[in-house]
Amino acid sequence: MPHTVPKLNAFPVFMRVEGKAVAIVGGGEEALAKARLIGQSSAVLRIIARDAEPELLTFIARSGATRVAAPYEASHLQGAVMVFAASGDEKLDSRVAADARRLGIPVNAVDRPELCDFFTPALVNRAPVAIAIGTEGAGPVLAQMLRTRIDRMLSPSLGSLATLAAALRGAAETLLPKGNARRRFWIDFFTGAPARAVEAGELSQAHDAAVDLMLSKVHAPGHIALVGAGPGAEDLLTLRAHRLLMEADVIVHDALVPEPVVAMGRRDAERLAVGKRKGCHSKSQAEINALLVELGREGKRVVRLKSGDPLVFGRAGEEMAALRDAGIAYEVVPGVTAAFAAAADFELPLTLRGVSSSMVFTTGHDLKGNSLPDWAKLAISGATVAVYMGRSVAAEVASRLIEAGLSADTAVAVVENASLANRRRFHGTLADLPSLEARTDLAGPVMTIIGDAVAGANFERSEPLAAHRHKGATAVAAEGVQS
Ligand code: SAH
């Protein structure tokens, strides 16, 4: 059976009663109970009771309720916004309910749910804050239990704090920009110095603390966090990254950060995709820098979400320089870089005792010139090489490394979509690497790891790269078998 949330048959609302008449018909215990309940509001109680018990009389005298000391008549209900039939006499209560309905006034008849237009809740009262508990007939015991539990959770001074908040709302709305600044003010107000002062009974001190707090938020400076989103899996985000995402006004993210990771941010944060995928830069780096500076100047809390680690091939250097020049505060939150995720997927030791004791993060894009970059020499001396953005230059990387003296048999591991459920793993040698370029089935990001340490990886779940060698090479091999 499909799971559905049951519907409420009675929907709670808060009705305005200030200065309005509420009629209670009855002179006994039931009437007194309702009078006490409604007496917690600023409604004007009208108690219609020819005979009233002493306790009710005392209540009337103390509360300033009015009493109609005459036999009940429908006209007694005139002008009331609510009616309680609480006489303890079934016949009379039915009559009262029928009269109220005729007059268009909502009615509650004690212990007669079939006659009720509304039910009264168990109430936790911290005026102006009210918590109303309804059970639709599951019983007053349950309602009272819940009431007690909630009551214990809430400070007795909550009402005073809420009153102070109401008094400051207008000022907060004029002074603080909508969004994070205002939200933070209220969070600090309800949890910080103003709340503590109210708790201690120091109301004027609380007011001053609230005003100080508000002024401190008026010119709240913007802040940019350059945050590493990790390789793609949601649970490879750091706790710090998650916290900042939950506090962000704006999330500026690259195309490489998967949607579910971006979705982990605060629900009403603004989301700006700034593209940057090979071949389709939707914004230039200069435009992104300018955007971050602008958001910072507006006082926004920004998460600049980058795949992997922000400081690895993320152009964070340029963004940080722009922020520094503009005097905007920023911080960097590290993330799991693609090389580490790919190595984990392959159970590949990036450093291996006696085999490899250094590692290179590179892109294959600097191999075009005549001289070999330094990292090629490191590769030859045994470093493990992680190649970012290397798919389209795989042949160049392989041929230049072989040319430089690295054995064509050097082990190579390739992971597409590292850390994600749809990841694919390939293994082979440097000689097989050029086949990557020709593959059109690899649509996700690809990490290539080269080096002798790769031989220590687990190849049980990977496909051989060689199976996809250049068509020409396969044809030659096949001919070789035939002859
Ligand atoms: N800052 C990122 C790298 C951005 S450059 C990081 O630290 O990981 C983009 C390149 O990262 C891609 O071309 C690819 O080589 C690599 N990459 C990013 N995510 C990847 C993933 N899930 N699997 C494999 N490679 C990935």
Side-chain angles (χ1 to χ4, degrees):
M1 221 173 75
H3 173 79
T4 49
V5 181
K7 303 277 190 196
L8 288 171
N9 291 320
F11 189 81
V13 293
F14 290 93
M15 185 165 164
R16 283 180 176 281
V17 293
E18 184 182 5
K20 305 250 171 75
V22 171
I24 299 174
V25 181
E29 222 180 294
E30 295 91 345
L32 178 62
K34 294 301 182 194
R36 283 201 173 120
L37 181 69
I38 303 301
Q40 296 184 55
S41 75
S42 55
V44 179
L45 275 180
R46 183 193 298 161
I47 295 169
I48 299 124
R50 194 189 49 187
D51 311 306
E53 281 178 15
E55 263 193 275
L56 181 59
L57 289 173
T58 315
F59 175 88
I60 291 170
R62 283 214 191 121
S63 67
T66 57
R67 175 179 171 209
V68 180
Y72 166 76
E73 279 174 33
S75 65
H76 294 150
L77 307 181
Q78 285 290 355
V81 293
M82 266 191 265
V83 167
F84 289 91
S87 67
D89 169 345
E90 262 192 41
K91 264 203 189 135
L92 179 55
D93 280 356
S94 304
R95 210 182 114 203
V96 172
D99 290 342
R101 201 149 294 144
R102 199 159 7 85
L103 290 164
I105 308 169
V107 63
N108 172 283
V110 174
D111 292 335
R112 305 277 296 280
E114 76 282 5
L115 295 182
C116 288
D117 294 319
F118 65 91
F119 304 105
T120 50
L123 190 63
V124 181
N125 181 357
R126 299 280 192 284
V129 178
I131 294 135
I133 302 152
T135 61
E136 282 186 27
V141 175
L142 174 61
Q144 290 311 323
M145 266 168 48
L146 294 173
R147 202 192 84 86
T148 311
R149 238 193 270 171
I150 295 168
D151 193 56
R152 247 182 286 156
M153 273 167 49
L154 301 176
S155 158
S157 63
L158 176 62
S160 309
L161 188 62
T163 304
L164 180 58
L168 291 169
R169 242 184 89 173
E173 270 162 36
T174 0
L175 287 176
L176 301 175
K178 194 166 174 259
N180 207 61
R182 205 184 286 171
R183 218 168 52 88
R184 301 212 128 247
F185 164 72
W186 285 120
I187 291 173
D188 292 354
F189 174 90
F190 287 116
T191 56
R196 282 192 301 273
V198 170
E199 188 95 33
E202 306 285 352
L203 285 187
S204 80
Q205 202 179 309
H207 182 271
D208 294 349
V211 170
D212 285 350
L213 185 63
M214 197 182 300
L215 293 177
S216 79
K217 305 278 176 191
V218 170
H219 297 293
H223 180 266
I224 318 288
L226 299 168
V227 175
E234 286 119 281
D235 55 355
L236 283 177
L237 206 68
T238 62
L239 294 175
R240 190 180 301 173
H242 189 226
R243 177 172 57 75
L244 287 164
L245 279 171
M246 291 307 291
E247 292 171 0
D249 292 320
V250 187
I251 300 167
V252 180
H253 62 94
D254 289 342
L256 210 50
V257 180
E259 169 52 29
V261 176
V262 180
M264 288 170 81
R266 194 161 70 85
R267 233 182 342 150
D268 42 2
E270 190 182 344
R271 279 158 208 186
L272 302 174
V274 289
K276 288 255 247 125
R277 194 159 232 186
K278 202 172 180 334
C280 60
H281 290 224
S282 66
K283 261 193 197 312
S284 71
Q285 187 59 48
E287 285 171 317
I288 296 171
N289 298 348
L291 173 68
L292 295 178
V293 167
E294 184 189 318
L295 291 168
R297 290 214 170 109
E298 285 170 13
K300 297 277 167 56
R301 296 186 74 86
V302 180
V303 167
R304 169 74 177 105
L305 195 58
K306 290 167 170 294
S307 85
D309 183 276
L311 303 180
V312 177
F313 299 118
R315 303 192 68 173
E318 290 152 78
E319 292 173 15
M320 291 188 292
L323 294 169
R324 265 196 304 267
D325 288 348
I328 288 161
Y330 66 87
E331 70 179 281
V332 180
V333 179
V336 176
T337 191
F340 294 167
D345 283 347
F346 244 113
E347 300 166 29
L348 186 165
L350 290 166
T351 62
L352 189 58
R353 205 175 147 78
V355 176
S356 174
S357 61
S358 56
M359 120 155 252
V360 171
F361 297 85
T362 186
T363 110
H365 293 265
D366 54 356
L367 280 170
K368 296 271 150 74
N370 283 330
S371 61
L372 276 179
D374 290 345
W375 68 262
K377 290 173 214 143
L378 290 171
I380 292 152
S381 66
T384 305
V385 177
V387 187
Y388 290 74
M389 301 173 279
R391 197 175 79 86
S392 62
V393 290
E396 184 80 17
V397 169
S399 68
R400 297 295 304 272
L401 284 177
I402 292 170
E403 202 181 296
L406 197 62
S407 162
D409 291 335
T410 308
V412 170
V414 175
V415 186
E416 179 205 22
N417 291 322
S419 86
L420 295 167
N422 63 348
R423 73 190 139 217
R424 290 177 72 188
R425 288 162 271 220
F426 304 92
H427 66 265
T429 65
L430 207 47
D432 304 323
L433 190 58
S435 67
L436 263 193
E437 273 187 44
R439 296 189 68 133
T440 46
D441 57 329
L442 300 181
V446 171
M447 169 57 54
T448 301
I449 303 179
I450 304 166
D452 291 334
V454 174
N458 178 353
F459 299 112
E460 271 165 32
R461 279 161 304 183
S462 55
E463 311 163 33
L465 263 178
H468 290 268
R469 261 194 209 184
H470 284 324
K471 278 212 183 71
T474 319
V476 169
E479 276 167 23
V481 171
Q482 269 177 359
S483 59

